[in-house]
Amino acid sequence: MARDPRFDALFEPVKIGPVTAPNRFYQVPHCTGMGYIRPQMLAELRGVKAEGGWGVVCTEYCSIHESSDETPYPGASLRDDDDVGNLRLMTEKVHAHGALAGVELWYGGHTSANLYSRATSLDVASLPNDATLGIPAQSQAMDRSDIRAFREMYRDAAKRALQADFDIVYVYANHYYLLHNFLNPDFNRRHDEYGGAPANRVRLLREVIEDVAGIVAGRSALAVRYSIPRDYANDPRGLLECFELVAELPDLWDITVDDYGYEMGSSRFVREADNQAAVRKIRAMTSKPVVSVGRFTSPDTMLAQISSGTQDFIGAARPSIADPFLPHKINQGRLEDIRECIGCNICYAHDSLAVPIRCTQNPTMGEEWRRGWHPEKVAPSHADEAVLIVGAGPAGLEAACTLGRRGYRVTLAEAETELGGRINRESRLPGLAEYARVRDWRLGQLARMPNVGIYPDNRLDADTILGFDAEHVILATGARWRSDGVGRWRRQAFAGSAQEAVLGVEQLLDGFIPGGHVVIHDDDHYYLGSALALHLRSLGTAVTMVSPKDSVAGWSNFTIEHSPTMRALIEAGVQIITARGLAGFRGGQAEFECVYSGARSSIATDYLLPISARIANDELWRELDARRDEFGANGGLSLQRIGDCRAPGIIAQAVYAGHRAARELGQADNGSKRDRVVL
Ligand code: ADP
Ligand code: SF4
């Protein structure tokens, strides 16, 4: 298929200083949890993005010195010559597809606790660490000799960036790292020529830009990453004034807003293209090309970025993670094949956990090298065989899609009239509408596969399955929430758990509207408890949320959703009680125990909703497993269970399980490799 000429503007080459990007699709620097520790994994991941049509592909933050070390988070590194080879693995892969490779040279400052290098971190002032796990440590305030040494670090790293063949070299001046902190009067209280008026605060940035420009001039472009307030009219830190003073110095500006909660906000709280007013403001202040992100997944929104003059590139991290082939799909007129990011921030959560990135929508993310999974290619079926998949939640749908692509004869049976499993119910909760994309993209793909038959409203039992004409059966029957409180806090059911006033999660998700007051005991700590609380508040129900931890929804810290979740709960009038574990429910009183002192307290309530853990729907599995002697009659049936019916988990895990089962069907081994540092 050919590209719709409407989108031609997205495919125009753009000059960035001495280099030219082949199109406007620009993968901005983003973390992967791989960095210098897993160079082959990383190189393959970036190479696949270039193959998918991203005209520029950047590294994650790339340390320039041992005193900029955020271990346990594995960023990229150009600290010494040994790092050059590791990053050259990436530039070779990116160049092989005609894209430009960018490197984001980074010095952390007080955010780097230097847990690995044990070096002293330098910053504009002596500031307490607030990033690497909140280590009780402070940076050293830089004196003039430190500033000279710092400039030398940047120059040396820029030389190494050229050796590694990067086409774009970044000076990184945002995200509360050192260069930003000089600009920011909240941190910069210096009385020397680097503090005070904007011209002084911007001095170090100007010097570093000029230093790096002196090294890369004519060979690679110089980009600066810079942040401005989302509400640019309210700029108490004078970031726009500082910008004006250096607006023409770099070859490209990579602009973010100075609130990570918005820049990287989840779809629960931040919409596509949220930051664009601020970006437009900056673009009017420079003649240099500008790139910025906005979780762009709609080609029309992308086009509007260019036609409205908001920016020159389509900056992307998450859309390129969810679909590395997004540019190609637009180019080939295959818009319906674009696998849109759902904005769940599970990718970021895994960076934050210092493990390789994964994605809810794209199960191949992070497995490009280790398992050799390509997002657009699968091996053909190993034989002309049929597969029966039971259950059309995320696991079953993904398995059906991938097996369908491989060419098997696939039958997908679902008990309910609607396909989608947990997605159907959860995506109806406040803020979770985009989660439906997990279901909808797969249904769209399946609708075009003549070798896949889909049968909703078909609850299968063991007899039917054993009588079915298929060589393989995959059970993806999901899980259900417990209502007896058993989970992390409790190992046994609480007293009174069988009462009618004890609600089940599914009861609420299926539309039950309780009046009066509901107490939620949230021992799950992710999004469901708060989403249900907000749902109940929207129905007028009074809600108290109780957590046995020191905060509610604590795990959503990893997805950058904790703070907006708390704000939403507080604004909706949800009462929040922490460090209390559920003890029992008697006579309309929910009883709790202080997790530290054991002191008892109670709350009068009409209903109690315990959210703790899930039970796998594995009854079918157990029955079939017990009847394996009957499989032979069916020509040696293969049976497996995947997703929540095997081990309940996040949606990403179910999608991954479905994908893996489909990839590995009929394969001798899973081909997994272990990454190692190149010496
Ligand atoms: P997962 O996240 O593992 O994909 P879900 O709970 O989202 O799990 O989806 C499981 C799906 O399986 C649900 O839609 C459920 O209705 C369906 N299901 C469960 N048991 C059967 C069965 N015996 N026959 C057909 N479908 C089933
Ligand atoms: Fe988007 Fe979620 Fe994938 Fe991240 S993990 S790219 S937010 S779908």
Side-chain angles (χ1 to χ4, degrees):
M1 275 196 285
R3 166 170 100 215
D4 182 336
R6 224 156 42 93
F7 297 119
D8 284 355
L10 298 177
F11 293 88
E12 289 161 356
V14 182
K15 209 166 155 13
I16 315 173
V19 298
T20 301
N23 59 37
R24 296 185 188 268
F25 293 95
Y26 192 117
Q27 182 243 277
V28 298
H30 76 75
C31 291
T32 57
M34 296 174 189
Y36 74 97
I37 294 178
R38 302 178 178 102
Q40 287 121 317
M41 254 180 142
L42 185 56
E44 197 68 33
L45 181 161
R46 303 287 187 205
V48 164
K49 304 255 200 121
E51 187 191 349
W54 296 88
V56 178
V57 178
C58 297
T59 61
E60 54 265 82
Y61 63 165
C62 180
S63 173
I64 60 171
H65 191 255
E66 64 158 12
S67 59
S68 182
D69 156 29
E70 268 194 8
T71 308
Y73 309 114
S77 177
L78 274 177
R79 288 175 208 169
D80 54 40
D81 292 343
D82 291 341
D83 287 327
V84 171
N86 281 351
L87 280 174
R88 204 181 276 134
L89 289 177
M90 170 198 159
T91 55
E92 279 167 9
K93 296 265 178 194
V94 170
H95 289 156
H97 299 285
L100 300 178
V103 60
E104 185 184 42
L105 298 182
W106 161 75
Y107 191 93
H110 73 287
T111 60
S112 306
N114 299 334
L115 296 177
Y116 177 75
S117 69
R118 303 184 185 178
T120 301
S121 61
L122 303 173
D123 211 323
V124 64
S126 183
L127 301 165
N129 176 273
D130 197 21
T132 318
L133 312 169
I135 298 296
Q138 291 185 209
S139 54
Q140 177 214 308
M142 292 165 86
D143 58 27
R144 285 195 180 83
S145 67
D146 296 318
I147 288 176
R148 278 195 298 278
F150 169 72
R151 290 176 57 185
E152 188 70 32
M153 291 174 204
Y154 245 105
R155 281 196 294 267
D156 288 346
K159 287 177 198 156
R160 290 191 282 269
L162 290 182
Q163 285 169 31
D165 283 337
F166 281 101
D167 311 286
I168 302 174
V169 177
Y170 269 70
V171 171
Y172 193 0
N174 59 347
H175 293 152
Y176 299 93
Y177 296 129
L178 184 140
L179 281 169
H180 168 87
N181 302 339
F182 269 81
L183 302 170
N184 186 339
D186 290 348
F187 296 116
N188 186 345
R189 302 290 172 97
R190 299 175 74 100
H191 299 291
D192 59 9
E193 67 274 28
Y194 290 95
N200 282 352
R201 301 205 308 274
V202 85
R203 186 180 307 278
L204 184 58
L205 175 59
R206 175 194 288 279
E207 288 172 345
V208 172
I209 293 174
E210 286 168 354
D211 289 344
V212 173
I215 289 178
V216 303
R219 293 185 58 190
S220 82
L222 192 155
V224 177
R225 216 168 193 203
Y226 192 91
S227 63
I228 54 169
R230 180 166 169 268
D231 174 10
Y232 57 84
N234 181 18
D235 182 24
R237 292 185 284 270
L239 294 173
L240 287 171
E241 225 179 319
C242 288
F243 179 87
E244 237 169 352
L245 298 171
V246 287
E248 294 303 316
L249 295 188
D251 298 312
L252 172 108
W253 285 101
D254 180 340
I255 299 298
T256 60
V257 292
D258 69 351
D259 181 337
Y260 211 56
Y262 282 103
E263 180 195 339
M264 183 64 212
S266 77
S267 60
R268 267 185 95 177
F269 303 104
V270 180
R271 302 269 76 87
E272 183 181 22
D274 176 83
N275 303 333
Q276 302 313 296
V279 178
R280 206 171 303 129
K281 168 78 182 167
I282 278 284
R283 179 131 188 283
M285 292 170 67
T286 177
S287 67
K288 304 294 178 173
V290 168
V291 61
S292 182
V293 295
R295 208 168 55 78
F296 304 116
T297 56
S298 143
D300 285 310
T301 312
M302 295 176 200
L303 199 56
Q305 295 301 301
I306 308 304
S307 54
S308 66
T310 304
Q311 56 176 317
D312 300 279
F313 288 98
I314 305 306
R318 288 171 289 178
S320 75
I321 294 167
D323 197 341
F325 274 61
L326 185 151
H328 260 340
K329 289 175 184 176
I330 299 177
N331 199 21
Q332 293 169 349
R334 295 166 50 213
L335 303 192
E336 68 287 355
D337 287 337
I338 295 174
R339 198 170 38 237
E340 289 183 286
C341 165
I342 70 166
C344 60
N345 282 359
I346 280 298
C347 47
Y348 185 81
H350 287 76
D351 303 336
S352 317
L353 291 162
V355 294
I357 189 170
R358 71 185 310 173
C359 170
T360 302
Q361 277 284 60
N362 175 11
T364 67
M365 178 52 43
E367 297 289 18
E368 300 84 353
W369 183 83
R370 184 169 62 172
R371 295 190 194 281
W373 289 0
H374 188 282
E376 300 299 310
K377 294 179 199 152
V378 286
S381 60
H382 73 292
D384 177 23
E385 290 185 345
V387 188
L388 170 64
I389 301 169
V390 185
L397 285 173
E398 174 62 25
C401 254
T402 305
L403 287 165
R405 280 163 69 200
R406 290 189 63 192
Y408 290 98
R409 285 175 280 119
V410 178
T411 301
L412 175 62
E414 164 56 47
E416 301 197 13
T417 49
E418 220 185 328
L419 304 160
R422 65 184 291 187
I423 296 293
N424 298 335
R425 296 181 174 85
E426 293 180 19
S427 64
R428 287 196 279 264
L429 291 174
L432 298 183
E434 287 191 28
Y435 282 34
R437 292 174 174 178
V438 172
R439 173 196 65 205
D440 295 342
W441 183 78
R442 288 168 180 80
L443 289 181
Q445 298 291 302
L446 288 169
R448 285 181 276 128
M449 292 181 189
N451 53 329
V452 179
I454 304 179
Y455 300 90
D457 206 9
N458 259 291
R459 180 172 292 280
L460 301 194
D461 57 20
D463 288 337
T464 320
I465 292 169
L466 286 171
F468 195 84
D469 186 17
E471 283 81 10
H472 309 277
V473 172
I474 298 178
L475 300 180
T477 49
R480 57 194 181 276
W481 286 92
R482 312 182 68 111
S483 59
D484 60 2
V486 173
R488 294 169 178 81
W489 161 251
R490 296 195 61 84
R491 301 290 177 226
Q492 270 123 36
F494 62 91
S497 61
Q499 296 170 62
E500 238 179 67
V502 175
L503 300 173
V505 168
E506 282 82 7
Q507 214 179 333
L508 287 176
L509 292 177
D510 284 340
F512 175 71
I513 302 178
H517 178 206
V518 175
V519 168
I520 301 177
H521 181 252
D522 184 9
D523 195 19
D524 173 52
H525 311 286
Y526 192 21
Y527 61 83
L528 193 68
S530 62
L532 280 169
L534 294 170
H535 164 66
L536 289 171
R537 285 301 296 132
S538 73
L539 299 172
T541 306
V543 180
T544 302
M545 266 190 97
V546 183
S547 170
K549 301 266 168 110
D550 288 330
S551 182
V552 295
W555 203 81
S556 51
N557 249 322
F558 293 112
T559 54
I560 330 180
E561 291 176 298
H562 183 252
S563 168
T565 297
M566 291 302 288
R567 187 172 60 231
L569 290 172
I570 292 164
E571 286 175 3
V574 174
Q575 297 300 312
I576 294 168
I577 297 173
T578 56
R580 298 284 187 282
L582 182 61
F585 188 41
R586 265 180 276 262
Q589 297 282 328
E591 296 167 357
F592 295 94
E593 186 182 321
C594 170
V595 299
Y596 300 116
S597 69
R600 290 287 185 131
S601 58
S602 63
I603 306 171
T605 183
D606 301 298
Y607 297 96
L608 174 67
L609 172 64
I611 308 177
S612 54
R614 289 187 289 159
I615 302 172
N617 294 331
D618 59 2
E619 296 79 5
L620 204 46
W621 160 265
R622 280 189 277 113
E623 186 178 346
L624 286 168
D625 194 39
R627 293 171 65 179
R628 279 187 187 268
D629 54 339
E630 295 173 46
F631 290 7
N634 210 4
L637 186 76
S638 84
L639 173 72
Q640 58 176 313
R641 55 183 162 162
I642 58 170
D644 292 331
C645 74
R646 184 174 181 189
I650 57 174
I651 298 167
Q653 178 62 22
V655 172
Y656 181 85
H659 192 80
R660 185 165 176 188
R663 283 257 179 195
E664 293 178 0
L665 194 86
Q667 305 289 317
D669 67 57
N670 70 20
S672 175
K673 293 182 260 190
R674 190 172 58 85
D675 204 358
R676 59 191 68 80
V677 176
V678 175
L679 294 176

